[in-house]
Amino acid sequence: MVRAAVLPAVDAPLKLVEIDLPEPGPGQVRVRLAAAGVCHSDLSLSNGTMRVPTPCVLGHEGAGTVVSVGAGVTHVAPGDGVVLNWAPSCGSCHACSIGEVWLCSHALAGAADVYAKLPDGTELHPGLNVAAFAEETVVAANCVLPVPDGVPLTDAALLGCAVLTGYGAVHHSARVREGESVAVFGVGGVGLATLQAARIAGAGLIVAVDVSPEKEELARAAGATEYVVASDTTAREIRKLTGGQGADVAVECVGRAVTIRTAWESTRRGGRTTVVGIGGKDQQVSFNALEIFHWGRTLSGCVYGNSDPERDLPVLAEHVRAGRLDLASLVTERIGLDGIPTAFENMLAGRGGRALVVFD
């Protein structure tokens, strides 16, 4: 029996309860969590913006120590530190066959599985495959990757989503070049990782945009050279900061129609707008045909930073070891499992960066 934060149904309050977690079967790994980040995607799952089977245990950004492994698992062993990979690639679908593993057709298939039970026998699903909002979890072997040398285990949790997403948005999707100007919309956990990634890429002007004036210090510490409090004049302010042209690259980390539209308008003619934020179906973004032709901008979605965790984790680890990437600075609050509902409220209110659940 282990403690876990269970989502009984969409829009229902999380319940902190003990669950019956079985030992790993063939091709599975049991992990004792060291830490789990509270991501906006968890909030989107809890309120129904994205759908997964319930009841379930949420949490998809985590790291911990292998407790035991099932038959056939050879790449990790008990005692190893691992990062959870919530979107493992199958290796055989069309997307995987052309190297776009972040678009794997079967990446979330495990979310429909039953992986644990409540004491009364109610079956539980593993949220986004890995169920990190629990003291321990059991996952498929391809959902764990060894923690790279030199990365503290607790900090490594952030590699599982926020950092892979932010770094990938800059380096894989927008492909920021040295000296280019970058505008980052939303200074939460992913936004802060995006700002650090823009700095690592050698961007010149880096503009952070958020509704909260209180986040300026966080943004500047992550690499922002300018800070703009979001308003009706945001696009105009960014154009002014960039000599009237607009930013070479805009990265939207919020997932709201108005923010996506503003990011687009803040991008120079011929520039690139990358959308990382996950919005609901009700968030409709409109463009007219003439402006699409005239501005010549590229608008692209970005799933999981267009990242391949097996390829990118060693790269990120090298940035950590060299002091270029500061994982701990993304965290503005360290909490227990019982602090997750408050972390959700803070995200809705636009407060803070990443909240990190730290296990004893």
Side-chain angles (χ1 to χ4, degrees):
M1 303 293 288
V2 300
R3 292 171 69 243
V6 173
L7 178 70
V10 171
D11 256 347
L14 292 178
K15 292 186 176 181
L16 190 58
V17 298
E18 289 201 336
I19 65 172
D20 184 3
L21 188 68
E23 289 302 311
Q28 292 184 320
V29 178
R30 184 171 181 136
V31 178
R32 180 179 300 113
L33 273 296
V38 183
C39 179
H40 205 281
S41 297
D42 297 307
L43 177 60
S44 296
L45 291 165
S46 72
N47 64 25
T49 299
M50 298 190 296
R51 293 280 182 170
V52 291
T54 57
C56 66
V57 175
L58 299 178
H60 61 280
E61 180 184 86
T65 304
V66 174
V67 176
S68 55
V69 301
V73 178
T74 59
H75 72 296
V76 293
D80 288 351
V82 292
V83 177
L84 298 180
N85 177 14
W86 61 271
S89 56
C90 70
S92 59
C93 71
H94 176 70
C96 289
S97 72
I98 61 174
E100 297 178 355
V101 297
W102 54 92
L103 298 179
C104 176
S105 300
H106 306 293
L108 297 181
D113 294 342
V114 172
Y115 94 112
K117 293 182 179 181
L118 293 173
D120 65 2
T122 300
E123 295 179 333
L124 291 173
H125 302 281
L128 286 180
N129 284 328
V130 297
F133 288 167
E135 294 172 327
E136 296 186 11
T137 188
V138 172
V139 300
N142 62 353
C143 286
V144 297
L145 295 167
V147 172
D149 292 339
V151 180
L153 188 58
T154 301
D155 292 347
L158 301 165
L159 296 175
C161 185
V163 178
L164 274 172
T165 300
Y167 184 88
V170 168
H171 290 266
H172 303 322
S173 179
R175 298 184 180 181
V176 174
R177 297 183 288 266
E178 187 172 357
E180 287 192 312
S181 55
V182 177
V184 178
F185 290 76
V187 184
V190 173
L192 289 169
T194 303
L195 289 167
Q196 288 203 43
R199 174 177 46 75
I200 290 170
L205 183 75
I206 303 175
V207 184
V209 182
D210 199 275
V211 296
S212 173
E214 288 75 24
K215 290 189 179 182
E216 180 172 359
E217 185 177 349
L218 272 175
R220 289 189 181 275
T225 59
E226 301 288 342
Y227 191 82
V228 172
V229 178
S231 71
D232 292 341
T233 64
T234 295
R236 191 182 313 154
E237 291 180 62
I238 291 175
R239 285 196 297 272
K240 184 178 179 180
L241 289 168
T242 54
Q245 297 301 309
D248 294 304
V249 169
V251 182
E252 198 273 358
C253 304
V254 180
R256 295 182 63 233
V258 65
T259 317
I260 294 169
R261 179 72 210 192
T262 303
W264 162 269
E265 293 175 356
S266 301
T267 310
R268 68 165 173 84
R269 196 175 186 189
R272 290 100 70 200
T273 306
T274 292
V275 179
V276 174
I278 301 172
K281 294 180 180 179
D282 61 326
Q283 296 291 313
Q284 298 291 318
V285 188
S286 297
F287 306 91
N288 66 60
L290 180 60
E291 69 175 317
I292 292 175
F293 160 77
H294 172 75
W295 289 104
R297 297 165 174 146
T298 301
L299 176 68
S300 60
C302 179
V303 178
Y304 203 7
N306 293 7
S307 294
D308 177 348
E310 290 191 43
R311 174 197 67 197
D312 292 333
L313 281 183
V315 176
L316 293 173
E318 181 54 35
H319 287 307
V320 172
R321 289 190 291 266
R324 293 184 292 266
L325 179 60
D326 183 358
L327 299 177
S329 68
L330 305 179
V331 179
T332 53
E333 187 179 18
R334 294 174 184 265
I335 60 176
L337 282 172
D338 57 355
I340 296 173
T342 300
F344 281 176
E345 292 173 7
N346 288 338
M347 279 192 287
L348 284 171
R351 293 190 291 264
R354 199 47 131 217
L356 190 68
V357 179
V358 179
F359 297 88
D360 296 331

